[in-house]
């Protein structure tokens, strides 16, 4: 099959970009007979996995896709070279489509529906311009990255559950069950807690910073490191014990994960939650808000706290930082839980959804 891919997210390096990069690599490896055509607008440097054809446009993505959403042109099918058997979008976004190939759409969460106040006025306008609910209803198949996301799609957007396939993501660096990840260099000589991701309201970095300050006042002897960027970065930088590194990827991010006492994911809402899996894959315990999706993915492989409860989060930080046995038990349980979650299984699920879309 010849499959066009909306790869606009690749240059950004955030969660959807990591999902797309890993999934594309696994699809190319597992389906060598397919032709994968990734379209990336703009001039930002970008790399695609071996076996994936890259197509570019000089026009920036917002102008190109904004025009497409408003007028239907240029259509993504044509931007990918036409003659496609299917189109895969790894996240909802404004786009022009001519309908010449069935659409498969991945949805990670509905945070922009459930928590619109966490987004800027421009972001809310962009979401409205994309007519994202209509896009999902138009899709031949919708991929939800978790059962929790599927339930939200059915409840919020009225999608037919029979058209929604649940396909879990995989961890950033899968490791064999029971094996130890290779050691990585520590990012700092001092012990630290790590938070990876966008520094935006929906990810609750200020909640974490406040809980960290409480735990520090109670004797926590560790720094708090944020690896990411976003409009809350300036509010976080400069607080006692807090470091904001900006965007980090590749070997440096791997080293940050491996050197951390724990990885903290305090978000108000998650459709999947990739960073706790990335932590467990490297032998690091996660601390997470007690969200339904983690029942699917982590089980007992995390220290949990009630979402939004700064005092409970402070308690959790103190517990995990001060108890090596707890960290080891959490990692052992987490590795068992995430063993079935691989990028190979994710690629197989995406490919199966595409086959269903083509056959419909």
């Amino acid at each position: 099959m010849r499959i066009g891919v909306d790869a606009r997210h690749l240059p950004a390096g955030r969660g959807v970009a990591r999902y797309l990069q890993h999934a594309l690599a696994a699809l190319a490896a597992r389906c060598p007979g397919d032709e994968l055509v990734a379209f990336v607008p703009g001039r930002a440097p970008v790399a695609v996995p071996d076996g994936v054809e890259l197509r570019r446009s000089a026009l920036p993505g917002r102008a190109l896709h904004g025009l497409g959403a408003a007028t239907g042109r240029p259509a993504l099918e044509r931007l990918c070279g036409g003659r496609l058997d299917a189109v895969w979008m790894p996240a909802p976004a404004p786009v022009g489509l001519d309908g010449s190939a069935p659409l498969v759409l991945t949805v990670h969460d509905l945070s922009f529906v459930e928590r619109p106040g966490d987004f800027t006025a421009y972001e809310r306008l962009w979401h409205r311009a994309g007519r994202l609910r209509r896009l999902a209803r138009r899709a031949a198949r919708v991929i939800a990255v978790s059962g929790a996301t599927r339930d939200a799609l059915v409840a919020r957007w009225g999608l037919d559950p029979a058209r929604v396939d649940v396909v879990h993501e995989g961890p950033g660096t899968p490791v064999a069950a029971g094996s130890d990840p290779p050691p990585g260099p520590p990012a700092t000589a001092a012990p630290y807690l790590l938070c990876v991701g966008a520094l935006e309201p929906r990810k609750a970095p200020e909640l974490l910073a406040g809980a960290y300050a409480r735990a520090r006042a109670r004797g926590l002897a560790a720094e708090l490191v944020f690896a990411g960027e976003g409009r809350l970065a300036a509010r976080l930088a400069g607080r006692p014990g807090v470091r904001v590194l900006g965007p980090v990827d590749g070997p440096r991010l791997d080293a940050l994960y491996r050197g951390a006492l724990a990885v903290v994911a305090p978000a108000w809402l998650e459709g999947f939650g990739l960073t706790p899996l990335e932590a467990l894959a490297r032998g690091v315990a996660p601390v997470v808000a007690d969200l339904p999706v983690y029942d699917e993915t982590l089980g007992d492989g995390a220290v949990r706290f009630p979402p939004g409860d700064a005092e409970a989060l402070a308690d959790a930080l103190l517990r995990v930082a001060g108890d090596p046995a707890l960290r080891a038990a959490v990692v052992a349980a987490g590795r068992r839980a995430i063993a079935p979650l691989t990028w190979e299984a994710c690629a197989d699920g995406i490919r199966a959804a595409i086959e269903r879309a083509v056959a419909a």
Side-chain angles (χ1 to χ4, degrees):
M1 282 197 291
R2 183 173 172 84
I3 302 166
V5 181
D6 174 15
R8 76 181 78 185
H9 305 278
L10 284 179
R14 289 191 175 185
V16 175
R18 296 206 302 277
Y19 166 78
L20 179 55
Q21 192 79 28
H22 287 298
L24 270 180
L27 280 167
R30 294 181 75 77
C31 306
D34 288 343
E35 296 179 60
L36 298 169
V37 184
F39 174 73
V40 182
R43 301 181 183 276
V46 66
V48 297
D50 291 342
V52 177
E53 178 186 342
L54 177 63
R55 288 184 173 252
R56 302 298 303 264
S57 165
L59 286 176
R62 287 179 179 174
L64 194 70
H65 290 301
L67 181 64
T71 69
R73 296 180 182 179
L76 181 60
E77 295 93 336
R78 291 184 62 83
L79 293 170
C80 289
R83 306 180 311 283
L84 302 176
D85 295 294
V87 171
W88 174 44
M89 293 183 67
V95 69
L97 296 167
D98 63 21
S100 60
L103 170 65
V104 177
L105 173 68
T106 295
V107 180
H108 298 264
D109 62 62
L110 290 183
S111 57
F112 51 91
V113 175
E114 298 180 344
R115 295 182 60 87
D118 287 350
F119 295 84
T120 65
Y122 176 83
E123 289 168 335
R124 294 194 295 271
L125 178 62
W126 187 244
H127 294 148
R128 287 196 297 272
R131 301 179 180 92
L132 304 183
R133 179 181 179 182
R134 188 174 75 172
L135 182 69
R137 290 187 165 187
R138 174 181 181 174
R141 303 296 301 182
V142 174
I143 295 171
V145 297
S146 66
T149 295
R150 175 200 57 206
D151 294 346
L153 286 167
V154 172
R156 291 281 189 167
W157 279 357
L159 297 192
D160 179 358
R163 287 199 307 111
V164 182
D165 299 299
V166 175
V167 180
H168 291 125
E169 301 178 33
T173 304
V175 295
S179 68
D180 291 325
T188 175
Y192 61 94
L193 303 162
L194 177 64
C195 181
V196 179
L199 302 182
E200 305 289 348
R202 66 188 183 280
K203 297 296 186 179
E206 288 188 296
L207 173 76
L208 173 55
Y212 169 75
R214 296 185 186 199
R216 196 167 186 263
R218 292 165 54 188
L220 176 64
E223 293 183 340
L224 174 60
V225 175
F226 287 99
E229 60 183 343
R231 68 182 189 276
L232 297 182
R235 298 187 191 180
L236 301 168
R239 299 190 187 197
V242 175
R243 290 191 296 139
V244 179
L245 301 182
V248 180
D249 58 14
R252 189 180 179 209
L253 179 60
D254 185 73
L256 279 170
Y257 269 122
R258 295 184 191 280
L261 280 174
V263 168
V264 189
W268 296 98
L269 181 151
E270 285 286 3
F272 184 77
L274 185 58
T275 58
L277 273 77
E278 291 182 327
L280 286 167
R282 293 162 172 82
V284 178
V287 177
V288 303
D290 192 7
L291 301 173
V293 67
Y294 294 132
D295 296 335
E296 294 180 54
T297 59
L298 302 181
D300 295 326
V303 176
R304 304 197 197 194
F305 68 95
D309 189 332
E311 190 61 37
L313 176 52
D315 291 341
L317 298 181
L318 286 163
R319 285 175 57 215
V320 76
D323 191 340
L326 171 63
R327 297 197 298 271
V330 165
V331 169
R335 280 184 167 173
R336 291 191 294 270
I338 71 171
L341 305 177
T342 67
W343 288 110
E344 290 77 13
C346 178
D348 291 346
I350 294 170
R351 184 57 165 71
I354 292 172
E355 287 180 0
R356 294 187 190 103
V358 172

